[in-house]
mmCIF file of all heavy atoms in Angstrom:
data_model
loop_
_atom_site.group_PDB
_atom_site.id
_atom_site.type_symbol
_atom_site.label_atom_id
_atom_site.label_comp_id
_atom_site.label_asym_id
_atom_site.label_seq_id
_atom_site.Cartn_x
_atom_site.Cartn_y
_atom_site.Cartn_z
ATOM 1 N N TRP A 22 -41.660 26.213 18.125
ATOM 2 C CA TRP A 22 -42.309 24.961 17.594
ATOM 3 C C TRP A 22 -43.668 24.735 18.196
ATOM 4 O O TRP A 22 -44.012 25.062 19.331
ATOM 5 C CB TRP A 22 -41.393 23.758 18.079
ATOM 6 C CG TRP A 22 -42.137 22.375 17.731
ATOM 7 C CD1 TRP A 22 -42.031 21.719 16.550
ATOM 8 C CD2 TRP A 22 -42.926 21.664 18.547
ATOM 9 N NE1 TRP A 22 -42.786 20.529 16.605
ATOM 10 C CE2 TRP A 22 -43.442 20.536 17.874
ATOM 11 C CE3 TRP A 22 -43.436 21.873 19.931
ATOM 12 C CZ2 TRP A 22 -44.250 19.585 18.479
ATOM 13 C CZ3 TRP A 22 -44.309 20.860 20.477
ATOM 14 C CH2 TRP A 22 -44.621 19.799 19.740
ATOM 15 N N VAL A 42 -38.127 14.652 23.135
ATOM 16 C CA VAL A 42 -38.857 13.876 22.178
ATOM 17 C C VAL A 42 -38.188 12.479 21.941
ATOM 18 O O VAL A 42 -36.990 12.438 21.742
ATOM 19 C CB VAL A 42 -38.905 14.653 20.849
ATOM 20 C CG1 VAL A 42 -37.538 15.104 20.315
ATOM 21 C CG2 VAL A 42 -39.646 13.916 19.790
ATOM 22 N N ASN A 58 -28.699 11.339 23.004
ATOM 23 C CA ASN A 58 -29.821 11.585 22.088
ATOM 24 C C ASN A 58 -29.750 12.954 21.414
ATOM 25 O O ASN A 58 -29.529 13.984 22.033
ATOM 26 C CB ASN A 58 -31.132 11.492 22.825
ATOM 27 C CG ASN A 58 -32.293 11.297 21.910
ATOM 28 O OD1 ASN A 58 -32.455 11.861 20.863
ATOM 29 N ND2 ASN A 58 -33.215 10.364 22.301
ATOM 30 N N GLY A 100 -40.565 16.841 -2.410
ATOM 31 C CA GLY A 100 -40.592 16.379 -3.742
ATOM 32 C C GLY A 100 -39.225 16.146 -4.439
ATOM 33 O O GLY A 100 -38.152 16.574 -3.810
ATOM 34 N N PHE A 126 -28.296 6.845 12.833
ATOM 35 C CA PHE A 126 -29.655 7.396 12.251
ATOM 36 C C PHE A 126 -30.560 5.991 12.275
ATOM 37 O O PHE A 126 -30.255 5.076 11.575
ATOM 38 C CB PHE A 126 -29.476 7.840 10.862
ATOM 39 C CG PHE A 126 -28.736 9.160 10.750
ATOM 40 C CD1 PHE A 126 -27.275 9.148 10.623
ATOM 41 C CD2 PHE A 126 -29.320 10.400 10.812
ATOM 42 C CE1 PHE A 126 -26.588 10.318 10.529
ATOM 43 C CE2 PHE A 126 -28.693 11.532 10.763
ATOM 44 C CZ PHE A 126 -27.300 11.545 10.602
ATOM 45 N N VAL A 172 -30.862 15.762 2.480
ATOM 46 C CA VAL A 172 -31.751 14.638 2.057
ATOM 47 C C VAL A 172 -32.447 14.932 0.724
ATOM 48 O O VAL A 172 -33.000 15.921 0.489
ATOM 49 C CB VAL A 172 -32.815 14.393 3.157
ATOM 50 C CG1 VAL A 172 -33.743 13.238 2.669
ATOM 51 C CG2 VAL A 172 -32.136 14.102 4.459
ATOM 52 N N THR A 230 -26.657 -19.900 19.071
ATOM 53 C CA THR A 230 -25.344 -19.472 18.481
ATOM 54 C C THR A 230 -25.362 -18.007 18.377
ATOM 55 O O THR A 230 -26.271 -17.365 17.985
ATOM 56 C CB THR A 230 -25.220 -20.178 17.127
ATOM 57 O OG1 THR A 230 -26.263 -19.722 16.208
ATOM 58 C CG2 THR A 230 -25.217 -21.712 17.183
ATOM 59 N N SER A 253 -29.752 -14.569 37.385
ATOM 60 C CA SER A 253 -28.986 -15.886 37.482
ATOM 61 C C SER A 253 -28.384 -16.218 36.057
ATOM 62 O O SER A 253 -29.051 -16.080 35.049
ATOM 63 C CB SER A 253 -29.990 -17.108 37.704
ATOM 64 O OG SER A 253 -30.630 -16.880 38.985
ATOM 65 N N GLU A 261 -12.706 -16.145 20.171
ATOM 66 C CA GLU A 261 -11.896 -15.228 19.537
ATOM 67 C C GLU A 261 -12.687 -14.386 18.720
ATOM 68 O O GLU A 261 -13.713 -14.660 18.195
ATOM 69 C CB GLU A 261 -10.856 -15.985 18.742
ATOM 70 C CG GLU A 261 -9.813 -16.782 19.586
ATOM 71 C CD GLU A 261 -8.863 -17.450 18.708
ATOM 72 O OE1 GLU A 261 -9.059 -17.549 17.497
ATOM 73 O OE2 GLU A 261 -7.904 -18.079 19.228
ATOM 74 N N ALA A 264 -15.181 -15.604 15.663
ATOM 75 C CA ALA A 264 -15.721 -16.887 15.897
ATOM 76 C C ALA A 264 -17.123 -16.910 16.270
ATOM 77 O O ALA A 264 -17.639 -15.798 16.692
ATOM 78 C CB ALA A 264 -14.822 -17.588 16.955
ATOM 79 N N LYS A 287 -25.348 -10.605 27.533
ATOM 80 C CA LYS A 287 -24.306 -9.657 27.621
ATOM 81 C C LYS A 287 -23.074 -10.068 26.908
ATOM 82 O O LYS A 287 -22.562 -11.207 26.852
ATOM 83 C CB LYS A 287 -23.882 -9.515 29.158
ATOM 84 C CG LYS A 287 -22.928 -8.415 29.395
ATOM 85 C CD LYS A 287 -22.814 -7.988 30.823
ATOM 86 C CE LYS A 287 -22.211 -9.058 31.728
ATOM 87 N NZ LYS A 287 -22.128 -8.617 33.112
ATOM 88 N N PRO A 340 -51.536 10.128 12.400
ATOM 89 C CA PRO A 340 -52.117 11.339 11.899
ATOM 90 C C PRO A 340 -51.200 12.584 12.119
ATOM 91 O O PRO A 340 -51.179 13.571 11.336
ATOM 92 C CB PRO A 340 -53.494 11.610 12.459
ATOM 93 C CG PRO A 340 -53.382 10.777 13.704
ATOM 94 C CD PRO A 340 -52.476 9.630 13.473
ATOM 95 N N HIS A 381 -41.024 -4.019 21.773
ATOM 96 C CA HIS A 381 -42.362 -4.210 22.434
ATOM 97 C C HIS A 381 -43.043 -5.466 21.980
ATOM 98 O O HIS A 381 -43.714 -6.090 22.815
ATOM 99 C CB HIS A 381 -43.302 -3.059 22.140
ATOM 100 C CG HIS A 381 -42.838 -1.716 22.681
ATOM 101 N ND1 HIS A 381 -42.412 -1.569 23.998
ATOM 102 C CD2 HIS A 381 -42.620 -0.446 22.114
ATOM 103 C CE1 HIS A 381 -41.955 -0.335 24.274
ATOM 104 N NE2 HIS A 381 -42.127 0.390 23.149
ATOM 105 N N ASP A 392 -43.004 -7.216 6.151
ATOM 106 C CA ASP A 392 -43.035 -6.988 4.749
ATOM 107 C C ASP A 392 -41.809 -6.188 4.297
ATOM 108 O O ASP A 392 -41.240 -5.364 5.117
ATOM 109 C CB ASP A 392 -44.175 -6.040 4.317
ATOM 110 C CG ASP A 392 -45.535 -6.827 4.256
ATOM 111 O OD1 ASP A 392 -45.568 -7.946 4.782
ATOM 112 O OD2 ASP A 392 -46.488 -6.267 3.768
ATOM 113 N N ALA A 412 -48.313 -15.959 -13.983
ATOM 114 C CA ALA A 412 -47.672 -15.032 -13.220
ATOM 115 C C ALA A 412 -46.740 -14.174 -13.998
ATOM 116 O O ALA A 412 -46.077 -14.606 -14.866
ATOM 117 C CB ALA A 412 -46.875 -15.802 -12.044
ATOM 118 N N SER A 477 -47.236 -11.929 -0.851
ATOM 119 C CA SER A 477 -48.564 -12.015 -0.160
ATOM 120 C C SER A 477 -49.608 -11.508 -1.088
ATOM 121 O O SER A 477 -49.550 -10.338 -1.457
ATOM 122 C CB SER A 477 -48.392 -11.145 1.112
ATOM 123 O OG SER A 477 -49.643 -11.222 1.798
ATOM 124 N N TRP A 533 -62.964 5.961 2.481
ATOM 125 C CA TRP A 533 -63.041 4.807 1.749
ATOM 126 C C TRP A 533 -62.855 3.625 2.516
ATOM 127 O O TRP A 533 -62.070 3.582 3.554
ATOM 128 C CB TRP A 533 -61.988 4.941 0.692
ATOM 129 C CG TRP A 533 -61.942 3.758 -0.267
ATOM 130 C CD1 TRP A 533 -62.637 3.606 -1.423
ATOM 131 C CD2 TRP A 533 -61.058 2.532 -0.118
ATOM 132 N NE1 TRP A 533 -62.283 2.297 -2.065
ATOM 133 C CE2 TRP A 533 -61.362 1.725 -1.221
ATOM 134 C CE3 TRP A 533 -60.231 2.077 0.859
ATOM 135 C CZ2 TRP A 533 -60.743 0.442 -1.365
ATOM 136 C CZ3 TRP A 533 -59.650 0.794 0.679
ATOM 137 C CH2 TRP A 533 -59.957 0.018 -0.410
ATOM 138 N N LYS A 539 -72.964 1.545 8.855
ATOM 139 C CA LYS A 539 -73.380 2.743 9.529
ATOM 140 C C LYS A 539 -73.397 2.698 10.986
ATOM 141 O O LYS A 539 -73.441 3.775 11.745
ATOM 142 C CB LYS A 539 -74.819 3.181 9.042
ATOM 143 C CG LYS A 539 -74.922 3.390 7.511
ATOM 144 C CD LYS A 539 -76.284 3.796 7.079
ATOM 145 C CE LYS A 539 -76.365 4.228 5.549
ATOM 146 N NZ LYS A 539 -77.672 4.542 5.149
ATOM 147 N N SER A 550 -69.221 -13.051 12.111
ATOM 148 C CA SER A 550 -69.452 -14.034 11.086
ATOM 149 C C SER A 550 -68.164 -14.515 10.401
ATOM 150 O O SER A 550 -68.023 -15.690 10.109
ATOM 151 C CB SER A 550 -70.522 -13.559 10.064
ATOM 152 O OG SER A 550 -69.906 -12.590 9.157
ATOM 153 N N MET A 582 -59.619 0.588 14.955
ATOM 154 C CA MET A 582 -59.657 1.819 15.684
ATOM 155 C C MET A 582 -59.648 2.972 14.712
ATOM 156 O O MET A 582 -59.191 2.885 13.536
ATOM 157 C CB MET A 582 -58.332 1.974 16.479
ATOM 158 C CG MET A 582 -58.233 1.018 17.755
ATOM 159 S SD MET A 582 -56.699 1.308 18.700
ATOM 160 C CE MET A 582 -55.408 0.544 17.723
#
Side-chain angles (χ1 to χ4, degrees):
W22 172 85
V42 59
N58 195 319
F126 292 86
V172 180
T230 58
S253 301
E261 297 178 349
K287 184 162 69 175
H381 293 314
D392 286 14
S477 181
W533 182 87
K539 294 183 178 180
S550 74
M582 292 184 283

